Amino acid sequence: MYGEDLITLLQKSSLRNQPGVSPKTCAALSLWMLHPHERDAIVAREALLQDNDTNYQALVEIFVGRKSSHIALIKQAYLSKHKTQLDQDIINIEPPHPYQKILVALSTSHKAHQADVNQHTAKCDAKRLYETGEGSPGAIDEGTVLEIFTKRSIPHLKLTFSCYKGIYGHDYTKSITDVNSGEFEDALKKVVKCICNPPNYYVKILFASIKGMTADRGAITRVMVSRSETEMDEIQRFFKAKYGIELRETICNSIPSGDYRDFLLALANKTV
Protein backbone atom coordinates (compact mmCIF):
# COMPACT_ATOMS: atom_id res chain seq x y z
CA MET A 1 0.00 0.00 0.00
CA TYR A 2 2.75 2.49 0.86
CA GLY A 3 5.72 1.26 -1.16
CA GLU A 4 7.99 0.97 1.89
CA ASP A 5 8.97 -1.86 4.21
CA LEU A 6 7.43 -1.35 7.67
CA ILE A 7 10.50 -2.56 9.58
CA THR A 8 12.74 -0.20 7.59
CA LEU A 9 10.35 2.67 8.34
CA LEU A 10 10.44 1.88 12.06
CA GLN A 11 14.23 1.69 12.03
CA LYS A 12 14.43 5.11 10.37
CA SER A 13 11.91 6.55 12.84
CA SER A 14 13.96 5.24 15.77
CA LEU A 15 16.83 7.53 14.73
CA ARG A 16 14.93 10.81 14.84
CA ASN A 17 12.50 12.64 17.07
CA GLN A 18 9.19 13.33 15.44
CA PRO A 19 5.52 13.46 16.41
CA GLY A 20 3.84 10.09 16.95
CA VAL A 21 5.41 6.91 18.26
CA SER A 22 8.61 7.50 20.27
CA PRO A 23 12.02 6.56 18.80
CA LYS A 24 12.55 4.04 21.63
CA THR A 25 9.26 2.31 20.79
CA CYS A 26 10.07 2.30 17.07
CA ALA A 27 13.41 0.61 17.82
CA ALA A 28 11.72 -1.99 20.03
CA LEU A 29 8.97 -2.70 17.50
CA SER A 30 11.43 -3.07 14.63
CA LEU A 31 13.40 -5.65 16.64
CA TRP A 32 10.25 -7.52 17.62
CA MET A 33 9.02 -7.76 14.01
CA LEU A 34 12.21 -9.32 12.67
CA HIS A 35 12.91 -13.05 12.42
CA PRO A 36 14.84 -14.07 15.57
CA HIS A 37 18.09 -14.77 13.70
CA GLU A 38 17.92 -11.42 11.88
CA ARG A 39 17.24 -9.69 15.20
CA ASP A 40 20.24 -11.37 16.83
CA ALA A 41 22.44 -10.35 13.90
CA ILE A 42 21.44 -6.71 14.46
CA VAL A 43 21.95 -6.99 18.23
CA ALA A 44 25.41 -8.52 17.65
CA ARG A 45 26.38 -5.73 15.25
CA GLU A 46 25.22 -3.02 17.66
CA ALA A 47 27.08 -4.75 20.49
CA LEU A 48 30.31 -4.68 18.49
CA LEU A 49 29.86 -1.03 17.47
CA GLN A 50 29.28 0.46 20.93
CA ASP A 51 30.84 3.92 21.18
CA ASN A 52 32.80 3.33 24.37
CA ASP A 53 33.10 -0.42 24.75
CA THR A 54 31.89 -3.67 23.25
CA ASN A 55 28.64 -4.91 24.79
CA TYR A 56 29.88 -8.38 25.68
CA GLN A 57 26.76 -9.09 27.71
CA ALA A 58 24.58 -8.97 24.59
CA LEU A 59 27.00 -11.23 22.68
CA VAL A 60 27.10 -13.77 25.51
CA GLU A 61 23.29 -13.92 25.56
CA ILE A 62 23.31 -14.82 21.86
CA PHE A 63 26.02 -17.49 21.92
CA VAL A 64 24.77 -19.10 25.13
CA GLY A 65 21.03 -18.77 24.61
CA ARG A 66 20.68 -20.01 21.04
CA LYS A 67 20.94 -23.45 19.41
CA SER A 68 23.76 -24.18 16.98
CA SER A 69 21.34 -24.18 14.03
CA HIS A 70 20.14 -20.71 15.05
CA ILE A 71 23.72 -19.43 15.45
CA ALA A 72 24.41 -20.55 11.87
CA LEU A 73 21.43 -18.48 10.65
CA ILE A 74 22.61 -15.47 12.67
CA LYS A 75 26.03 -15.65 11.02
CA GLN A 76 24.44 -15.89 7.56
CA ALA A 77 22.20 -12.87 8.25
CA TYR A 78 25.17 -10.93 9.67
CA LEU A 79 27.31 -11.68 6.60
CA SER A 80 24.49 -10.83 4.21
CA LYS A 81 23.79 -7.46 5.83
CA HIS A 82 27.28 -6.31 6.81
CA LYS A 83 29.54 -8.15 4.30
CA THR A 84 31.79 -9.35 7.09
CA GLN A 85 32.03 -12.47 9.25
CA LEU A 86 30.68 -12.25 12.81
CA ASP A 87 33.39 -14.60 14.10
CA GLN A 88 36.13 -12.50 12.55
CA ASP A 89 34.68 -9.27 13.91
CA ILE A 90 34.76 -10.78 17.40
CA ILE A 91 38.37 -11.90 16.90
CA ASN A 92 39.29 -8.38 15.74
CA ILE A 93 37.91 -6.59 18.82
CA GLU A 94 40.37 -4.08 20.23
CA PRO A 95 41.59 -3.91 22.90
CA PRO A 96 41.59 -7.68 23.56
CA HIS A 97 39.33 -8.85 26.39
CA PRO A 98 38.76 -12.17 28.25
CA TYR A 99 35.14 -12.24 27.03
CA GLN A 100 36.56 -12.28 23.52
CA LYS A 101 38.39 -15.58 24.17
CA ILE A 102 35.28 -17.21 25.63
CA LEU A 103 33.06 -16.04 22.75
CA VAL A 104 35.52 -17.37 20.16
CA ALA A 105 35.52 -20.72 21.99
CA LEU A 106 31.70 -20.83 22.11
CA SER A 107 31.49 -19.93 18.43
CA THR A 108 33.84 -22.80 17.59
CA SER A 109 31.71 -25.14 19.70
CA HIS A 110 28.57 -24.15 17.81
CA LYS A 111 30.30 -24.98 14.51
CA ALA A 112 31.37 -28.46 15.57
CA HIS A 113 28.63 -29.73 17.88
CA GLN A 114 24.91 -30.06 18.24
CA ALA A 115 23.23 -30.93 21.55
CA ASP A 116 25.58 -33.83 22.34
CA VAL A 117 25.51 -34.70 26.05
CA ASN A 118 27.46 -37.47 27.76
CA GLN A 119 27.32 -38.08 31.52
CA HIS A 120 30.75 -39.74 31.76
CA THR A 121 32.46 -37.03 29.72
CA ALA A 122 30.70 -34.31 31.73
CA LYS A 123 32.07 -35.80 34.98
CA CYS A 124 35.56 -35.96 33.48
CA ASP A 125 35.29 -32.33 32.37
CA ALA A 126 34.10 -31.33 35.86
CA LYS A 127 37.13 -33.02 37.41
CA ARG A 128 39.47 -31.28 34.96
CA LEU A 129 37.92 -27.93 35.86
CA TYR A 130 38.49 -28.68 39.54
CA GLU A 131 42.07 -29.88 39.09
CA THR A 132 43.03 -26.79 37.09
CA GLY A 133 41.00 -24.41 39.26
CA GLU A 134 40.30 -24.58 42.96
CA GLY A 135 42.15 -27.90 43.22
CA SER A 136 45.46 -26.26 42.35
CA PRO A 137 47.22 -23.14 43.63
CA GLY A 138 47.02 -19.90 41.68
CA ALA A 139 44.60 -18.66 39.06
CA ILE A 140 42.34 -20.80 36.89
CA ASP A 141 44.02 -22.42 33.90
CA GLU A 142 42.47 -20.45 31.03
CA GLY A 143 43.68 -22.97 28.44
CA THR A 144 41.76 -25.86 30.01
CA VAL A 145 38.57 -23.84 30.35
CA LEU A 146 38.73 -22.59 26.77
CA GLU A 147 39.49 -26.08 25.44
CA ILE A 148 36.38 -27.47 27.15
CA PHE A 149 34.25 -24.55 25.95
CA THR A 150 35.52 -25.09 22.41
CA LYS A 151 34.76 -28.83 22.32
CA ARG A 152 31.43 -29.05 24.16
CA SER A 153 27.89 -27.97 23.37
CA ILE A 154 25.95 -25.62 25.66
CA PRO A 155 23.72 -28.49 26.99
CA HIS A 156 26.86 -30.52 27.71
CA LEU A 157 28.48 -27.59 29.53
CA LYS A 158 25.33 -27.21 31.62
CA LEU A 159 25.54 -30.90 32.57
CA THR A 160 29.26 -30.49 33.36
CA PHE A 161 28.54 -27.68 35.83
CA SER A 162 25.74 -29.76 37.36
CA CYS A 163 28.19 -32.67 37.79
CA TYR A 164 30.69 -30.27 39.36
CA LYS A 165 28.17 -29.33 42.04
CA GLY A 166 27.27 -32.98 42.59
CA ILE A 167 30.90 -34.02 43.04
CA TYR A 168 32.30 -31.07 45.01
CA GLY A 169 29.21 -29.84 46.85
CA HIS A 170 29.06 -26.29 45.46
CA ASP A 171 28.60 -24.39 42.20
CA TYR A 172 31.53 -23.94 39.86
CA THR A 173 30.98 -20.18 40.11
CA LYS A 174 31.86 -20.37 43.81
CA SER A 175 35.19 -21.94 42.95
CA ILE A 176 35.83 -19.10 40.50
CA THR A 177 35.11 -16.58 43.24
CA ASP A 178 37.42 -18.36 45.69
CA VAL A 179 40.51 -18.18 43.46
CA ASN A 180 42.52 -15.00 42.82
CA SER A 181 39.92 -13.46 40.53
CA GLY A 182 40.96 -11.37 37.55
CA GLU A 183 39.22 -10.20 34.38
CA PHE A 184 39.07 -13.72 32.91
CA GLU A 185 37.54 -15.18 36.07
CA ASP A 186 34.95 -12.37 36.26
CA ALA A 187 33.94 -12.91 32.63
CA LEU A 188 33.85 -16.70 33.04
CA LYS A 189 31.61 -16.45 36.09
CA LYS A 190 28.99 -14.41 34.23
CA VAL A 191 29.04 -16.77 31.24
CA VAL A 192 28.64 -19.83 33.48
CA LYS A 193 25.70 -18.19 35.28
CA CYS A 194 24.02 -17.56 31.93
CA ILE A 195 24.55 -21.21 30.97
CA CYS A 196 23.41 -22.73 34.26
CA ASN A 197 20.39 -20.57 35.15
CA PRO A 198 19.21 -18.35 32.28
CA PRO A 199 16.01 -17.04 33.97
CA ASN A 200 17.92 -15.88 37.06
CA TYR A 201 20.59 -14.31 34.83
CA TYR A 202 18.02 -12.38 32.81
CA VAL A 203 16.15 -11.27 35.93
CA LYS A 204 19.27 -9.54 37.23
CA ILE A 205 19.89 -7.90 33.84
CA LEU A 206 16.31 -6.64 33.66
CA PHE A 207 16.24 -5.28 37.20
CA ALA A 208 19.51 -3.39 36.77
CA SER A 209 18.41 -1.96 33.43
CA ILE A 210 14.89 -0.97 34.55
CA LYS A 211 16.32 0.75 37.64
CA GLY A 212 19.00 2.56 35.64
CA MET A 213 21.81 0.76 37.45
CA THR A 214 23.73 -0.20 34.30
CA ALA A 215 25.18 1.51 31.24
CA ASP A 216 23.55 -1.17 29.08
CA ARG A 217 20.41 0.89 28.43
CA GLY A 218 19.22 -1.36 25.61
CA ALA A 219 19.05 -4.42 27.86
CA ILE A 220 15.36 -3.94 28.73
CA THR A 221 14.26 -4.01 25.09
CA ARG A 222 16.74 -6.72 24.10
CA VAL A 223 15.81 -9.14 26.87
CA MET A 224 12.05 -8.48 26.87
CA VAL A 225 11.79 -8.94 23.09
CA SER A 226 14.04 -11.99 22.79
CA ARG A 227 12.87 -13.87 25.89
CA SER A 228 9.15 -13.16 25.43
CA GLU A 229 9.16 -15.96 22.86
CA THR A 230 10.78 -18.56 25.11
CA GLU A 231 10.89 -18.15 28.89
CA MET A 232 8.95 -15.07 29.96
CA ASP A 233 6.83 -17.06 32.43
CA GLU A 234 9.97 -18.38 34.16
CA ILE A 235 11.56 -14.95 34.20
CA GLN A 236 8.48 -13.47 35.85
CA ARG A 237 8.45 -16.19 38.53
CA PHE A 238 12.16 -15.71 39.26
CA PHE A 239 11.73 -11.92 39.31
CA LYS A 240 8.94 -12.08 41.90
CA ALA A 241 10.87 -14.60 44.03
CA LYS A 242 14.08 -12.55 43.96
CA TYR A 243 12.76 -9.01 44.38
CA GLY A 244 9.35 -9.56 45.99
CA ILE A 245 7.56 -7.57 43.28
CA GLU A 246 6.06 -8.43 39.91
CA LEU A 247 8.08 -7.57 36.80
CA ARG A 248 5.04 -5.74 35.40
CA GLU A 249 4.73 -3.64 38.55
CA THR A 250 8.44 -2.76 38.44
CA ILE A 251 8.07 -1.62 34.83
CA CYS A 252 5.07 0.54 35.77
CA ASN A 253 6.88 2.06 38.76
CA SER A 254 10.15 2.83 36.98
CA ILE A 255 9.37 3.64 33.34
CA PRO A 256 7.35 6.75 32.40
CA SER A 257 3.87 6.14 31.03
CA GLY A 258 3.65 6.03 27.25
CA ASP A 259 3.80 3.76 24.25
CA TYR A 260 7.18 2.27 25.20
CA ARG A 261 5.98 1.19 28.65
CA ASP A 262 2.77 -0.15 27.12
CA PHE A 263 4.79 -2.26 24.69
CA LEU A 264 6.99 -3.70 27.47
CA LEU A 265 3.89 -4.54 29.51
CA ALA A 266 2.34 -6.25 26.49
CA LEU A 267 5.50 -8.36 26.14
CA ALA A 268 5.42 -9.23 29.84
CA ASN A 269 1.75 -10.18 29.56
CA LYS A 270 2.45 -12.00 26.28
CA THR A 271 -0.41 -10.13 24.63
CA VAL A 272 1.63 -8.75 21.70
Side-chain angles (χ1 to χ4, degrees):
M1 289 174 66
Y2 301 103
E4 185 171 13
D5 178 67
L6 178 55
I7 296 175
T8 303
L9 176 62
L10 287 167
Q11 289 172 338
K12 290 178 181 177
S13 298
S14 70
L15 300 175
R16 58 180 183 266
N17 286 310
Q18 58 185 28
V21 183
S22 70
K24 190 178 287 187
T25 308
C26 288
L29 283 169
S30 65
L31 272 182
W32 176 73
M33 294 179 71
L34 289 165
H35 290 293
H37 61 275
E38 294 175 323
R39 176 194 310 145
D40 285 340
I42 288 176
V43 169
R45 184 67 173 180
E46 290 177 350
L48 289 164
L49 295 179
Q50 290 287 311
D51 292 335
N52 299 320
D53 198 7
T54 302
N55 188 346
Y56 289 105
Q57 187 168 273
L59 293 170
V60 167
E61 290 166 16
I62 291 172
F63 280 93
V64 170
R66 302 301 190 188
K67 295 180 179 179
S68 295
S69 57
H70 185 96
I71 295 292
L73 291 174
I74 294 170
K75 291 178 179 179
Q76 290 175 13
Y78 189 96
L79 177 62
S80 176
K81 186 172 182 63
H82 305 295
K83 313 306 178 189
T84 181
Q85 299 279 356
L86 175 56
D87 289 358
Q88 194 60 48
D89 284 351
I90 292 173
I91 291 171
N92 292 339
I93 293 173
E94 290 291 345
H97 193 282
Y99 270 121
Q100 188 178 14
K101 300 177 184 178
I102 298 173
L103 287 166
V104 170
L106 290 174
S107 180
T108 302
S109 173
H110 277 297
K111 287 180 185 176
H113 303 279
Q114 299 301 314
D116 54 318
V117 174
N118 182 283
Q119 185 81 22
H120 174 72
T121 305
K123 287 182 178 179
C124 291
D125 288 342
K127 290 176 180 177
R128 286 187 69 200
L129 289 173
Y130 176 83
E131 291 165 359
T132 57
E134 65 177 314
S136 64
I140 287 174
D141 182 355
E142 292 184 20
T144 299
V145 173
L146 293 173
E147 178 193 344
I148 292 173
F149 271 59
T150 299
K151 293 182 177 179
R152 311 301 185 209
S153 66
I154 296 298
H156 182 95
L157 288 173
K158 189 170 185 175
L159 178 60
T160 296
F161 299 130
S162 176
C163 289
Y164 193 101
K165 184 173 184 178
I167 296 170
Y168 301 109
H170 57 262
D171 291 330
Y172 179 58
T173 51
K174 182 181 183 301
S175 74
I176 300 172
T177 303
D178 288 345
V179 301
N180 296 322
S181 292
E183 282 193 333
F184 181 80
E185 287 78 13
D186 290 342
L188 177 61
K189 184 162 58 176
K190 291 178 182 177
V191 172
V192 172
K193 286 182 177 180
C194 190
I195 292 173
C196 292
N197 195 339
N200 191 53
Y201 171 89
Y202 288 118
V203 158
K204 291 179 180 179
I205 299 298
L206 279 174
F207 186 82
S209 188
I210 292 171
K211 293 295 185 179
M213 299 158 55
T214 173
D216 185 7
R217 300 301 185 191
I220 308 175
T221 300
R222 184 180 72 245
V223 173
M224 292 295 293
V225 169
S226 66
R227 308 330 293 180
S228 66
E229 302 164 344
T230 54
E231 55 201 336
M232 185 54 66
D233 288 339
E234 278 188 282
I235 287 173
Q236 298 215 54
R237 285 197 297 272
F238 271 76
F239 196 98
K240 177 67 180 295
K242 188 170 185 65
Y243 299 110
I245 186 173
E246 297 284 354
L247 172 60
R248 294 182 289 269
E249 189 177 348
T250 305
I251 291 171
C252 285
N253 292 342
S254 304
I255 296 177
S257 62
D259 45 30
Y260 179 63
R261 187 175 79 176
D262 292 344
F263 180 62
L264 292 179
L265 290 172
L267 289 174
N269 294 326
K270 297 198 293 189
T271 55
V272 175

